[in-house]
Amino acid sequence: MSDTVVTVSMFERIGGPVVIDRLVESFYRRMDEAPDAIGIRAMHADDLTSTKQVLKRYLTEWTGGPKLYSPEKGHPRLRQRHIGFPIGSAERDAWLLCMRGALAETVVDEAAREDLDAALTRLADWMRNQAGNPHDARGGHG
């Protein structure tokens, strides 16, 4: 009997590059279609081709797959790369709406999907660079 523990990366758990590709395509399709995502879609270029490729490389590496992002871009420094975009609770929520829909559509392993959702939720929350509550972005009182 062996004491060897085999660790399976999230990348492998969700299905590898094919699922990453489908996830990103679904995510940006939802961003194009969801009324709640108009604000975050406006922060992106009209042509999403290069943006999709960057996110696919990032998610591949972030989930434990091959290092496709850092050799080209260096350390992700996500907050620094997004500092020019106002990201408050409303933007975080819109991003998560699109990402959760994409996860539900593409990741069949429920436990892996839940684990990935939790990690992406923490990441999205950390990306906020605007103070206040969700109503502030819509002119409410906070």
Side-chain angles (χ1 to χ4, degrees):
M1 187 162 180
S2 173
D3 289 338
T4 304
V5 175
V6 177
T7 303
V8 178
S9 70
M10 179 59 70
F11 182 75
E12 294 170 293
R13 287 176 65 194
I14 65 172
V18 171
V19 174
I20 292 286
D21 187 68
R22 289 180 187 155
L23 176 69
V24 171
E25 293 297 327
S26 175
F27 170 74
Y28 281 112
R29 185 181 69 251
R30 290 166 187 281
M31 192 182 291
D32 275 338
E33 296 171 355
D36 290 348
I38 290 171
I40 61 170
R41 179 59 180 94
M43 295 178 187
H44 293 76
D46 290 342
D47 182 353
L48 293 170
T49 304
S50 64
T51 303
K52 288 177 183 180
Q53 291 308 312
V54 170
L55 184 57
K56 288 174 186 179
R57 290 192 297 267
Y58 174 77
L59 288 176
T60 294
E61 189 168 327
W62 187 72
T63 57
K67 293 196 180 308
L68 303 178
Y69 180 89
S70 58
E72 178 185 332
K73 299 278 191 181
H75 187 281
R77 299 186 322 269
L78 292 181
R79 282 184 62 116
Q80 182 180 342
R81 291 181 194 273
H82 291 80
I83 200 70
F85 303 100
I87 303 172
S89 295
E91 292 77 16
R92 177 209 50 203
D93 293 349
W95 190 91
L96 283 170
L97 175 75
C98 296
M99 185 54 76
R100 287 179 174 148
L103 287 169
E105 180 183 321
T106 60
V107 178
V108 295
D109 180 323
E110 186 176 348
R113 185 173 58 247
E114 289 173 2
D115 290 347
L116 193 52
D117 178 88
L120 287 165
T121 298
R122 286 190 299 274
L123 181 62
D125 197 47
W126 181 74
M127 291 295 292
R128 290 185 301 167
N129 57 29
Q130 302 293 302
N133 65 44
H135 301 291
D136 290 346
R138 292 187 292 271
H141 301 289

